[in-house]
Amino acid sequence: LAVFIAGFALVWDFFFPFPQSKPILIGCVGGYFFLMGVLTLYTTFKEKGIFVVVMQKDPAGLDPDSRWEVASKMKKYDDVYEVTVRLIDGKSGAARETGFKKSVADFIDDNGVVCQDLVEGQMMKMHNSLASSKKDK
C-alpha cells in the first residue's frame, strides 16, 4: 500500500508538475510515513525478531499444524548473539521454546567466514530438544 502511494505521487507529479501537485504530494508523503510507522511498530512489538516461521504438517493429517518460529537478537556493539526457537503445538496450542546466547566469534573461523556446520549443529540441537519433548507428551 505504501509503495502504491509513492507510485501515485510520482505519476501525479509527472502529469501535474510541482506547484500544482503540492497538496497531493503532501498527502502522499504523510500517508507513506504513517504506514512506515505502523510497519515499524508491527515488526518491533509483534514479530520481535522472528525471521522464519515454518508450519509442520501433522503426519496423520488429523491435527492442526504445529508452528516453528526462529527469532534472533543482538544488541548494538555487543558480540553476544541470541537465538530462540519456539514450537507452538497445533493440537494443544502450548508453546515451548529453547535458545542459546553465544559470542559471534564461536561461529566464525580465522578467515572471517561463518562456519555453517557449527551454526547448523547448534540449530539442530535446539530443534531436536523441542521435537523430542513433543514426542514424549
Side-chain angles (χ1 to χ4, degrees):
L1 186 61
V3 173
F4 174 74
I5 290 173
F8 176 76
L10 178 71
V11 170
W12 189 270
D13 191 52
F14 179 76
F15 289 115
F16 304 100
F18 175 65
Q20 289 179 317
S21 64
K22 191 174 181 180
I24 298 297
L25 290 177
I26 290 172
C28 288
V29 168
Y32 181 83
F33 281 109
F34 173 75
L35 290 173
M36 288 299 102
V38 170
L39 179 64
T40 300
L41 290 172
Y42 177 79
T43 57
T44 302
F45 296 110
K46 175 72 173 130
E47 288 185 353
K48 297 179 185 173
I50 295 172
F51 62 89
V52 68
V53 176
V54 178
M55 302 303 285
Q56 180 180 4
K57 300 272 185 207
D58 179 45
L62 300 174
D63 295 330
D65 299 340
S66 295
R67 187 170 72 212
W68 293 82
E69 297 176 348
V70 183
S72 67
K73 192 184 322 181
M74 187 171 179
K75 293 182 182 173
K76 195 173 186 177
Y77 306 119
D78 195 5
D79 69 326
V80 177
Y81 186 57
E82 181 180 351
V83 176
T84 306
V85 177
R86 183 177 179 167
L87 172 63
I88 302 167
D89 191 19
K91 187 176 182 180
S92 66
R96 294 182 307 281
E97 68 180 44
T98 185
F100 71 85
K101 288 183 183 181
K102 285 192 174 184
S103 173
V104 174
D106 294 341
F107 300 109
I108 299 176
D109 67 5
D110 295 334
N111 298 324
V113 178
V114 176
C115 299
Q116 292 292 337
D117 55 337
L118 296 175
V119 175
E120 184 178 346
Q122 189 69 39
M123 295 302 293
M124 289 308 295
K125 261 193 247 179
M126 292 190 299
H127 174 271
N128 293 339
S129 71
L130 286 176
S132 66
S133 66
K134 180 181 175 185
K135 290 178 187 174
D136 292 342
K137 291 186 175 189

